[in-house]
């Protein structure tokens, strides 16, 4: 189970293309996702609940576009790219802060 | 910003190919720089939590408009759409700067970084215009909890972008002076990590603050 | 709120004899320090060897000195409070003054005593344990220290200039807002915590990067010493918790100086959001304080029982599990806020869950000692005192975690007794055990056992006499932060006993200081570098270690590598051969971290008194120094082979 923890001696390989395909595809994807989010929400294509869900999902997809297309998130000079661990645990805590704070503080909007 | 110690005590080689002959980007070519990149990732993880707290505050307080305007009456749809596309484009141009840096093309790197910084300035300019307009119609931080949270969240992002611009300019100067070295390559890589990260934060700002503010009917 | 109505002299002339006493002692101490440094021509030495150092071992020592000084300062606060509460209707302190004292006591003990104590241990032990020559970012490490140091100065100086903060260490809004808390005291709190928080966050990032990227070859994660593992868990918590503190303090500061409405009553502000966000940081923070102590005890239990720690993997797993769960329990600090049964149940259950991995650790330590050849030395003694004390504190914690029952205990002396039992019995005992344990590695001599035992027994007996009665006082209805109480409540006897306990603890602390002073003069030299027959890599080095730590980086094959080599008679594998020595790449000393810390002090001062020009100047100075640093082309140098050979020969290792 914890084998990957010990996998920190292997040299990793980097990939760099001769033409910036990744960047261009990433840019197109981010633009398309954004236009879709604007159209879906501002043209009131659906009711409020599904709209919120869809535009949040699109925003989450944009994270992956930036991470993989621009930020080279899987690269590491040796062994496991530990930043992915940092980002995933960070994401857990981000969701905890936002969701649990909303839950805890709901009573105040019920009271007001 | 700081110095790392390597294990081996040996001089660092500056060649871009490891012993196995595989491609290693310049910014990863010595352990000093590689560890700084990792440290910066950790900083981004922390910055993510910082924005999470600001988002949580905004979400909790977004309906607390007191006697001030609500989101629907305040936000200018055209304005935030413009800001969004400018920042998304600057993320792409920043990515291009990294691409050119990895191909050791100093002119291309400088050019793309300059475009990125200019787009960043356009973004900040639009944001300042928006804030000035809001304040002009009496929607200030002191008006309501909603506006306190709005200005702080969006303003913190804007402050990050402004710092990023100043940082980029200092790196452009260093690139012109020293060319592409392991140290300047690392700086180009890191400032772009920061820039893409701010783009992601903005995606959530336009989704959670602006779109949700405008469509909440 | 702006203190413009105060003349500059009004900040100094308060008419309070306690403050004049503090004024006088500060002036006298400053004059004495300047006199000694000048008389013995030590200014250059101070600057070159300490103020500009980037050596993790020296930074660790400076953290340690600061922590002990702050323990004294906040300890005096505690004695003053207990004196005031010894009998009903006393007026040793006025109510305002009492509020200031309990605020600074809590703030300093947590942020300016416990945190630097932990940072001291991290700095001293972690690079040596993993076979590294320094931390990942030595320059940043020095900034962390100086930022902490000047933040501590900023908070402490509030006592004599402008007035201390008085809204409690938690500084809840709206009490701490501009409407109820005028004057600069609260600003001192906000700014000093903000500044030290920056340093703490940098330390967390620094050590996580160090541990993940700079281990000696062969030291896989599952071969790391448990103290290093505990610092992994601690650093993770620091990275994800401290930004919340930064945000909550900033928002309150914006409320106070810019008139915003995050936490006010008016204009839709919500004070409860302050409480919510404060504890998003605050709860992980208490685990930041306890996890390093767990790591220390794992090292000590194994070393002094001469056995490998029982259940290494479960120890690692429970450390990580505690740091994860600790992020989902924060609302148990405000069950009575009324967030509803669903919320309270979730956070109550999560809080109780923390008991499981913690229990695993307690049992593992017991099993480590079981059938071991135990030697009762000072570190082990503190460990033995920790187990029952912390277990009791943990159990009263589970009582508090039961949300419905918490409505009875909330903010009573029951709570006070509980968190002192876990923080003193857990964190402080752990830090003291670690101080005795690593002292020879830091300074090259041992602390005296005879005086150490006196300090130990006085402090321990004093602890129980002081805090156990407070559980009962809490159940009898005595609330925290009361500056006095009337006769006839039935509280008098227990309060009096508690005060006696506090005095015994105070004497224990003085004996501890005496132990240090005595040992500086008469302490047994540590000539072997391995006085405890240790297990981990730091004990393979001379005491104190040379500034580059390892002349040649060892290759690790075993968990407890040094012990394994000693058991199989292979110590020679770590012996240095002249032909293996290469020039060692090290960072240069720099005065910038000190100046950056000083600039942060100026920024803090500017914001506290709302002299914004000063704040802007300070910020500019920080940016200029960072830019200069970024433009530096050679921040490092190589120690030539001859120098390493010379040093190692002098140490008798070549």
């Amino acid at each position: 189970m914890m084998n990957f923890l010990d996998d920190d001696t292997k040299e990793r390989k980097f990939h760099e293309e001769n033409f910036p395909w990744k960047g261009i595809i990433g840019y197109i994807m981010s633009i398309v996702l954004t236009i879709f989010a604007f159209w879906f929400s501002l043209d009131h294509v659906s009711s409020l609940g599904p709209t919120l869900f869809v535009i949040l999902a699109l925003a989450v997809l944009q994270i992956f576009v930036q991470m993989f297309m621009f930020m080279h998130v899987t690269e590491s000079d040796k062994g496991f790219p530990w930043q992915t661990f940092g980002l995933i645990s960070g994401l857990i805590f981000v969701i905890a802060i936002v969701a649990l704070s909303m839950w805890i503080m709901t009573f105040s909007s019920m009271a007001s | 910003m700081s110095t790392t110690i390597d294990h081996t005590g040996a001089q660092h080689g500056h060649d871009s190919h490891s012993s196995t002959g595989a491609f290693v980007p310049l910014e990863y070519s010595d352990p000093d720089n590689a560890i700084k990149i990792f440290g910066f990732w950790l900083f981004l993880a922390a910055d993510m939590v910082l924005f999470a707290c600001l988002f949580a505050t905004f979400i909790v307080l977004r309906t607390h408009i007191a006697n001030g305007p609500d989101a629907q009456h305040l936000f200018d749809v055209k304005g935030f759409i413009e800001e969004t596309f400018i920042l998304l484009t600057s993320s792409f141009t920043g990515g291009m700067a990294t691409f050119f840096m990895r191909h050791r093309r100093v002119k291309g790197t400088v050019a793309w970084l300059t475009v990125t910084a200019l787009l960043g300035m356009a973004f900040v300019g639009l944001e300042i215009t928006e804030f000035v307009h809001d304040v002009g119609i009496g929607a200030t931080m002191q008006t309501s909890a909603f506006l306190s949270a709005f200005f702080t969240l969006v303003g913190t992002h804007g402050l990050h972008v402004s710092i990023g611009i100043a940082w980029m300019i200092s790196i452009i100067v260093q690139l012109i002076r020293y060319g592409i070295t392991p140290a300047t390559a690392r700086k180009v890589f890191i400032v772009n990590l920061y820039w893409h990260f701010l783009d992601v934060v903005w995606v959530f700002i336009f989704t959670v603050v602006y779109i949700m503010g405008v469509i909440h009917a | 709120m702006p203190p413009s109505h105060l003349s500059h002299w009004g900040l100094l002339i308060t008419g309070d004899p306690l403050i004049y006493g503090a004024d006088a002692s500060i002036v006298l101490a400053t004059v004495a320090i300047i006199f000694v440094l000048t008389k013995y021509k030590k200014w250059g030495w101070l600057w070159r060897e300490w103020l500009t150092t980037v050596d993790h071992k020296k930074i660790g020592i400076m953290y340690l000195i600061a922590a002990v000084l702050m323990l004294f300062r906040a300890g005096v606060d505690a004695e003053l409070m207990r004196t005031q509460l010894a009998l009903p209707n006393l007026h040793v302190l006025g109510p305002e003054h009492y509020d200031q004292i309990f605020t600074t006591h809590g703030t300093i003990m947590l942020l300016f005593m416990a945190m630097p104590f932990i940072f001291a241990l991290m700095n001293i032990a972690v690079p040596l344990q993993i076979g590294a020559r320094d931390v990942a970012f030595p320059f940043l490490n020095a900034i962390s220290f100086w930022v902490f140091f000047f933040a501590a100065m900023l908070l402490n100086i509030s006592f004599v200039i402008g007035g201390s903060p008085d809204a409690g260490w938690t500084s809840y809004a709206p009490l701490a807002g501009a409407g109820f808390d005028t004057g600069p005291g609260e600003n001192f709190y906000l700014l000093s915590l903000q500044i030290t928080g920056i340093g703490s966050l940098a330390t967390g990032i620094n050590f996580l990067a160090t541990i993940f990227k700079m281990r000696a070859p062969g030291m896989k994660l599952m071969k790391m010493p448990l103290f290093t593992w505990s610092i992994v868990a601690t650093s993770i918590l620091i990275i994800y918790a401290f930004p919340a503190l930064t945000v909550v303090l900033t928002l309150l500061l914006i409320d106070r100086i810019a008139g915003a409405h995050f936490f006010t009553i008016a204009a839709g502000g919500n004070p409860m959001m302050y409480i919510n966000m404060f504890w998003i940081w605050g709860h992980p923070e208490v685990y930041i304080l306890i996890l390093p102590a767990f790591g220390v005890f794992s090292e000590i239990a194994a070393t002094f029982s001469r056995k490998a720690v029982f259940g290494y993997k479960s120890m690692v797993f429970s450390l990580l599990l505690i740091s994860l769960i600790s992020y989902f329990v924060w609302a148990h600090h405000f069950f009575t806020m009324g967030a509803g049964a669903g919320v309270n149940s979730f956070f109550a259950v999560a809080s109780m869950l923390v008991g499981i991995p913690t229990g695993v650790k307690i049992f593992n330590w017991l099993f480590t000692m079981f059938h071991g050849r135990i030697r009762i030395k000072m570190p082990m003694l503190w460990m033995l005192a920790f187990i029952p004390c912390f277990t009791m504190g943990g159990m009263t914690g589970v009582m508090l975690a039961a949300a419905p029952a918490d409505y009875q205990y909330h903010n009573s002396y029951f709570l006070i007794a509980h968190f002192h039992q876990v923080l003193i019995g857990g964190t402080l005992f752990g830090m003291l055990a670690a101080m005795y344990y690593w002292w020879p590695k830091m300074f090259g001599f041992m602390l005296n056992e005879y005086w150490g035992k006196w300090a130990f027994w006085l402090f321990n007996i004093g602890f129980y006499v002081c805090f156990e009665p407070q559980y009962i006082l809490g159940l009898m209805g005595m609330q925290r932060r009361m500056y006095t109480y009337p006769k006839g409540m039935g509280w008098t006897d227990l309060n009096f006993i508690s005060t006696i306990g506090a005095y015994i603890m105070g004497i224990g602390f003085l004996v501890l200081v005496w132990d240090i002073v005595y040992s500086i003069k008469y302490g047994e030299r540590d000539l072997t570098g391995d006085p405890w027959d240790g297990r981990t890599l730091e004990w393979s080095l001379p005491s104190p270690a040379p500034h580059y730590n390892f002349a040649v980086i060892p290759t690790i094959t075993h968990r407890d590598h040094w012990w394994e080599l000693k058991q199989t008679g292979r110590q020679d594998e770590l012996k240095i051969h002249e032909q293996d020595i290469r020039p060692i790449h090290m960072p240069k000393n720099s005065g910038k971290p000190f100046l950056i810390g000083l600039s942060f002090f100026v920024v803090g001062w500017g914001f506290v008194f709302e002299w914004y020009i000063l704040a802007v100047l300070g910020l500019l100075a920080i940016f200029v120094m960072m830019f200069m640093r970024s433009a530096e082309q050679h921040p490092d140098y190589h120690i030539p082979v001859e120098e390493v050979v010379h040093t190692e020969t002098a140490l008798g290792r070549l």
Side-chain angles (χ1 to χ4, degrees):
Chain A
M1 178 193 98
M2 283 183 163
N3 280 344
F4 80 98
L5 287 180
D6 283 337
D7 173 35
D8 51 12
T9 43
K10 268 189 293 177
E11 286 272 332
R12 287 262 157 175
K13 286 207 177 85
F14 295 87
H15 298 284
E16 193 57 53
E17 322 142 299
N18 289 320
F19 186 78
W21 285 117
K22 259 186 162 180
I24 290 168
I25 294 169
Y27 182 49
I28 293 169
M29 282 172 76
S30 68
I31 294 291
V32 168
L33 289 170
T34 308
I35 291 175
F36 189 74
F38 281 146
W39 166 73
F40 197 84
S41 55
L42 300 178
D43 278 4
H44 297 279
V45 172
S46 178
S47 57
L48 189 61
T51 304
L52 296 186
F53 179 80
V54 167
I55 59 176
L56 270 178
L58 290 170
V60 172
L61 283 177
Q62 297 251 29
I63 301 181
F64 289 99
V65 171
Q66 295 288 326
M67 290 287 163
F68 288 97
M69 298 302 181
F70 293 119
M71 295 173 86
H72 307 263
V73 68
T74 53
E75 287 180 356
S76 157
D77 62 327
K78 52 174 183 176
F80 189 75
W82 281 104
Q83 65 269 21
T84 52
F85 157 83
L87 293 170
I88 291 168
S89 44
L91 212 55
I92 295 173
F93 294 136
V94 164
I95 293 167
I97 289 172
V98 176
L100 292 176
S101 289
M102 283 169 70
W103 190 33
I104 292 169
M105 300 303 292
T106 337
F107 71 100
S108 68
S109 48
M110 291 191 302
S112 66
Chain B
M1 264 197 288
S2 48
T3 310
T4 52
I5 312 302
D6 66 299
H7 296 298
T8 57
Q11 298 271 6
H12 303 139
H14 288 167
D15 52 292
S16 67
H17 292 270
S18 71
S19 49
T20 55
F23 170 74
V24 174
L26 198 56
E27 69 273 20
Y28 277 106
S29 63
D30 90 33
D32 267 21
N33 285 323
I35 200 169
K36 281 177 188 160
I37 293 170
F38 179 66
F40 195 77
W41 275 110
L42 294 179
F43 166 77
L44 287 185
D47 217 20
M48 198 157 109
V49 176
L50 183 131
F51 277 107
C53 292
L54 290 172
F55 271 105
T57 310
F58 175 82
I59 292 169
V60 166
L61 297 176
R62 74 190 186 286
T63 54
H64 297 216
I65 55 170
N67 297 319
D70 64 6
Q72 239 175 339
H73 292 97
L74 191 68
F75 295 156
D76 168 31
V77 174
K78 188 171 149 281
F80 74 76
I81 290 181
E82 277 173 15
E83 287 175 86
T84 303
F85 284 111
I86 288 173
L87 207 61
L88 287 175
T89 307
S90 80
S91 189
F92 166 68
T93 57
M96 291 303 290
T98 306
F99 176 83
F100 274 80
M101 177 274 288
R102 286 202 164 176
H103 288 266
R104 313 262 179 118
R105 287 160 69 178
V106 68
K107 278 186 188 158
T109 313
V110 168
W112 283 109
L113 274 184
T114 310
V115 173
T116 310
L118 288 173
L119 287 169
M121 286 177 202
F123 172 86
V124 173
L126 279 177
E127 194 170 292
I128 291 173
T129 316
E130 182 196 346
F131 281 11
V132 169
H133 169 262
D134 292 350
V135 172
I137 60 167
T140 68
M141 246 188 159
Q142 292 78 20
T143 309
S144 67
F146 156 66
L147 286 170
S148 300
F150 165 74
F151 282 115
T152 307
L153 170 57
V154 179
T156 304
H157 177 267
L159 186 68
H160 274 72
V161 173
S162 308
I163 291 172
I165 294 168
W167 190 7
M168 250 178 217
I169 292 169
S170 91
I171 291 169
I172 291 169
V173 172
Q174 294 186 29
L175 275 173
I176 292 169
R177 231 175 126 182
Y178 306 114
I180 294 180
T181 67
T184 54
R186 182 247 306 156
K187 287 175 189 181
V188 170
F189 188 77
I190 287 182
V191 81
N192 277 309
L193 283 187
Y194 181 71
W195 200 260
H196 302 309
F197 167 78
L198 291 180
D199 193 64
V200 172
V201 174
W202 179 259
V203 166
F204 279 85
I205 289 181
F206 87 65
T207 304
V208 173
V209 178
Y210 286 99
I211 296 186
M212 290 190 185
V214 174
I215 63 171
H216 250 286
Chain C
M1 215 309 293
S4 47
H5 60 280
L6 291 171
S7 76
H8 295 187
W9 289 110
L11 299 172
L12 288 169
I13 301 167
T14 56
D16 187 318
L18 264 173
I19 290 177
Y20 286 135
D23 284 339
S25 55
I26 287 172
V27 171
L28 283 176
T30 312
V31 169
I33 291 168
I34 292 172
F35 175 76
V36 169
L37 286 172
T38 311
K39 177 151 195 263
Y40 295 99
K41 299 193 170 62
K42 288 290 187 189
W43 285 104
W45 165 83
L46 184 70
W47 178 256
R48 280 189 307 275
E49 297 289 319
W50 295 96
L51 302 190
T52 60
T53 188
V54 290
D55 180 345
H56 69 98
K57 299 179 289 297
K58 285 185 174 167
I59 289 173
I61 288 171
M62 292 194 291
Y63 270 123
L64 181 69
I65 295 169
V68 174
L69 284 174
M70 290 296 114
L71 180 58
F72 173 74
R73 196 252 132 122
V76 171
D77 286 347
E79 301 296 351
L80 283 169
M81 279 191 281
R82 278 320 315 171
T83 307
Q84 165 66 19
L85 293 176
L87 293 167
N89 296 320
L90 284 183
H91 287 283
V92 180
L93 300 171
E96 293 87 7
H97 211 141
Y98 186 83
D99 290 354
Q100 296 186 3
I101 298 278
F102 73 63
T103 302
T104 51
H105 167 74
T107 309
I108 291 177
M109 280 296 192
L110 291 169
L111 274 307
F112 297 109
M113 188 287 282
M115 290 299 281
F117 219 137
I118 286 162
F119 294 155
L121 304 178
M122 286 160 77
N123 269 288
I124 287 154
V126 167
L128 299 179
Q129 283 198 327
I130 63 171
R133 288 193 169 126
D134 206 321
V135 294
F137 315 115
F139 181 81
L140 186 66
N141 197 27
I143 293 180
S144 290
F145 173 77
W146 288 111
V147 156
F148 147 77
F149 178 84
F150 282 105
M153 290 297 108
L154 190 63
L155 185 71
N156 276 280
I157 213 159
S158 67
F159 186 69
V160 290
I161 301 177
S164 297
D166 57 1
W169 84 273
T170 50
S171 191
Y172 280 174
L175 179 63
F180 296 94
D181 203 329
T182 56
E186 178 61 23
N187 291 358
F188 273 114
Y189 169 94
L190 292 171
L191 267 306
S192 60
L193 261 64
Q194 189 69 276
I195 293 170
T196 195
I198 295 168
S200 303
L201 179 61
T203 303
I205 292 173
N206 210 337
F207 277 82
L208 205 56
T210 306
I211 296 170
F212 273 124
K213 293 287 184 184
M214 294 181 61
R215 300 188 307 280
M219 182 175 277
K220 297 184 170 178
L221 288 174
M222 279 300 165
K223 288 196 169 72
M224 290 197 311
L226 279 170
F227 177 70
T228 300
W229 260 117
S230 77
I231 299 305
V232 171
T234 306
S235 301
I236 291 172
L237 282 177
I238 289 176
I239 291 172
Y240 296 118
F242 267 80
L245 179 71
T246 304
V247 170
V248 75
L249 296 176
T250 306
L251 298 190
L252 185 55
L253 189 71
I254 293 175
D255 263 8
R256 285 177 62 85
I257 67 180
H261 291 287
F262 291 103
F263 311 126
T264 57
I265 309 288
N270 190 340
M272 289 178 225
M273 190 59 195
Y274 176 91
I275 300 175
N276 179 57
M277 218 186 324
F278 182 87
W279 288 111
I280 289 177
W281 162 76
H283 200 85
E285 165 67 10
V286 300
Y287 285 88
I288 290 167
L289 296 175
I290 196 65
L291 291 179
F294 287 176
V296 166
F297 290 129
S298 297
E299 300 290 334
I300 289 173
T303 303
F304 292 91
S305 308
R306 295 169 184 273
K307 266 177 73 188
V309 85
F310 183 89
Y312 174 90
K313 279 190 178 167
S314 64
M315 286 300 226
V316 172
F317 193 65
S318 52
L319 275 173
L320 296 176
L321 201 58
I322 290 172
S323 49
L324 180 71
I325 301 177
S326 75
Y327 222 92
F328 294 87
V329 302
W330 77 80
H332 72 212
H333 293 272
F334 46 89
F335 280 147
T336 55
M337 202 163 88
V343 171
N344 280 3
S345 311
F346 175 87
F347 283 96
V349 171
S351 308
M352 292 175 191
L353 281 179
V354 181
I356 297 171
T358 314
V360 167
K361 298 191 81 69
I362 298 267
F363 281 111
N364 280 351
W365 289 316
L366 293 175
F367 284 128
T368 305
M369 287 187 267
F370 184 65
H371 277 201
R373 284 166 291 157
I374 295 177
R375 291 167 298 161
I376 309 283
K377 295 285 189 179
M378 281 315 299
M380 191 62 178
L381 206 52
W382 284 105
M383 155 104 198
L384 292 174
F386 151 81
I387 288 181
C389 194
F390 187 79
T391 307
M392 282 171 71
M395 279 160 61
T396 52
V398 175
M399 291 169 73
L400 283 156
D406 181 68
Y407 276 74
Q408 295 301 313
Y409 312 131
H410 186 76
N411 271 358
S412 74
Y413 263 77
F414 190 88
L415 171 76
I416 303 293
H418 156 72
F419 73 64
H420 281 91
Q421 186 140 22
V422 281
L423 283 172
I424 295 177
T427 306
L428 189 62
F429 283 15
M431 297 303 108
L432 293 175
M435 187 178 87
Y436 277 93
Y437 184 61
W438 279 308
W439 189 276
K441 192 49 65 191
M442 283 183 259
F443 298 105
F445 63 89
M446 320 276 287
L447 286 175
N448 182 275
E449 293 262 324
Y450 174 81
W451 290 112
K453 279 181 183 152
W454 270 100
F456 171 84
W457 286 110
L458 284 166
F459 204 81
N460 261 277
I461 293 169
F463 173 83
Y464 287 99
V465 176
C466 180
F467 288 103
E468 300 316 299
Q470 294 184 8
Y471 282 115
I472 306 166
L473 280 170
L475 296 178
M476 290 166 80
M478 183 162 164
Q479 293 298 295
R480 76 193 293 193
R481 294 174 180 171
M482 302 173 66
Y483 98 99
T484 189
Y485 53 92
K487 280 182 198 154
M489 302 292 290
W491 298 349
T492 309
D493 297 347
L494 289 170
N495 267 307
F496 192 73
I497 294 170
S498 179
T499 300
I500 292 173
Y503 289 163
I504 300 175
M505 288 173 84
I507 297 167
F509 173 77
L510 293 178
V511 176
L512 186 83
V513 173
W514 167 246
D515 189 13
I516 293 172
V517 174
Y518 178 90
S519 306
I520 289 172
K521 207 153 169 56
Y522 303 108
E524 185 192 330
R525 301 288 121 181
D526 169 26
L527 300 172
T528 61
D530 188 11
W532 310 117
D533 198 4
R535 311 177 69 84
T536 43
L537 221 45
E538 72 268 36
W539 304 112
S540 72
L541 292 170
S543 298
H547 71 284
Y548 48 78
N549 297 350
F550 297 88
V552 176
I553 302 288
T555 300
I556 307 302
T557 50
H558 291 85
R559 200 180 283 162
D560 292 345
H561 187 70
W562 177 236
W563 176 258
E564 188 64 33
L565 292 186
K566 285 192 287 186
Q567 289 308 100
T568 50
R570 294 187 292 147
Q571 292 98 311
D572 282 357
E573 284 181 19
L574 291 186
K575 213 170 151 60
I576 296 149
H577 305 289
E578 203 170 329
Q579 67 271 20
D580 294 337
I581 297 176
R582 299 275 175 278
I584 296 176
H585 181 199
M586 295 295 282
K588 282 182 195 156
N589 282 1
S590 171
K592 290 192 188 75
F594 179 83
L595 296 173
I596 288 174
L598 190 63
S599 308
F600 267 107
F601 183 86
V602 172
V603 174
W605 193 265
F607 274 110
V608 165
F609 292 103
E610 298 176 34
W611 302 341
Y612 293 117
I613 295 169
L614 199 63
V616 170
L617 287 177
L619 282 171
L620 268 178
I622 294 166
F623 279 118
V624 166
M625 268 176 289
M626 280 167 63
F627 185 76
M628 282 165 66
R629 175 69 183 179
S630 174
E632 259 175 48
Q633 288 301 297
H634 299 288
D636 41 13
Y637 72 109
H638 284 84
I639 307 176
V641 171
E642 306 80 66
E643 194 186 323
V644 180
V645 171
H646 181 256
T647 312
E648 294 292 314
T649 313
L651 289 165
R653 291 166 63 84
L654 254 180

